[in-house]
């Protein structure tokens, strides 16, 4: 097959599956813009759209590794091997309000390690991706390059994304985007210097975790999720 992006054949097959799914998602986004007078109706529509993502992409992914399982925030499908695809629609609350800042997060895990990671923003058609041990990259129609975390450490210079509730002490120039998968991708690509979040469904962050590590950053997940460029202490 002709490779679309730098990387393995499996990575490219996963990207093609994402692209096919994203075509329908962009149509759904156009529909949800017409539902803004009814927030309840928009939420129901987006919930169904997320379910369609899982259904439409699964058949494509099983062509990549037929014996793999599937993990999403709503579905756990045991496979016949130690391989597992991890899939989520990140930023669904933005999607509900016709805000284009959302993404599909897709990872391939094997023997409990993430091997391939893709975070795809379907509206601007920008892909962040990584393979274990091969670095992290960004790809779009206009730009393709390896990405790395920032090297900033002075608090006055930092831009930090938060996805937290309650009284949390913040530092730097604070951002709250509502899309954790892209927050992690933006730490990986140096747009943010750190990301702090309440615990999240692993399906939403599996791809972002590998992106951050392959871009030279650090990430820990305990009472909260903290991803940094490795120079920031949080």
């Amino acid at each position: 097959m002709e490779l679309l992006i730098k990387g393995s054949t499996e990575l490219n097959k996963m990207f093609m599956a994402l692209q096919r799914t994203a075509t329908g998602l962009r149509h759904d986004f156009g529909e949800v813009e017409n539902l803004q007078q009814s927030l309840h109706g928009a939420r129901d529509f987006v919930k169904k759209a997320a379910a369609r993502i899982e259904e439409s992409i699964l058949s494509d992914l099983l062509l990549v590794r037929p014996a793999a399982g599937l993990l999403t925030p709503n579905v756990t499908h045991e496979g016949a091997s130690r391989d597992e695809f991890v899939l989520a629609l990140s930023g669904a609350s933005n999607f509900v309000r016709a805000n284009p800042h959302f993404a599909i997060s897709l990872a391939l895990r094997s023997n409990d390690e993430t091997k391939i990671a893709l975070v795809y923003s379907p509206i601007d058609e920008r892909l962040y991706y990584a393979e274990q041990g091969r670095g992290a990259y960004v790809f779009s129609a206009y730009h393709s390059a390896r990405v790395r975390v920032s090297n900033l450490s002075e608090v006055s210079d930092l831009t930090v994304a938060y996805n937290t509730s309650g009284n949390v002490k913040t530092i730097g120039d604070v951002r709250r985007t509502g899309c954790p998968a892209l927050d992690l991708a933006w730490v990986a690509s140096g747009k943010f210097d750190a990301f702090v979040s309440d615990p999240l469904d692993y399906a939403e962050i599996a791809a972002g975790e590998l992106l951050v590590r392959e871009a030279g950053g650090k990430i820990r997940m305990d009472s909260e999720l903290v991803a940094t460029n490795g120079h920031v202490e949080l």
Side-chain angles (χ1 to χ4, degrees), residues 33-54:
E33 286 187 301
N34 298 324
L35 294 172
Q36 290 307 294
Q37 298 303 315
S38 171
L39 194 56
H40 177 74
R43 287 195 183 105
D44 286 345
F45 184 86
V46 170
K47 185 177 180 180
K48 292 176 182 177
R52 284 198 300 274
I53 289 173
E54 296 172 5

Side-chain angles (χ1 to χ4, degrees), residues 213-228:
R213 295 189 193 282
E214 287 295 322
K218 296 181 179 179
I219 186 167
R220 72 172 192 269
M221 292 174 282
D222 39 46
S223 60
E224 60 185 5
L225 182 152
V226 179
T228 75

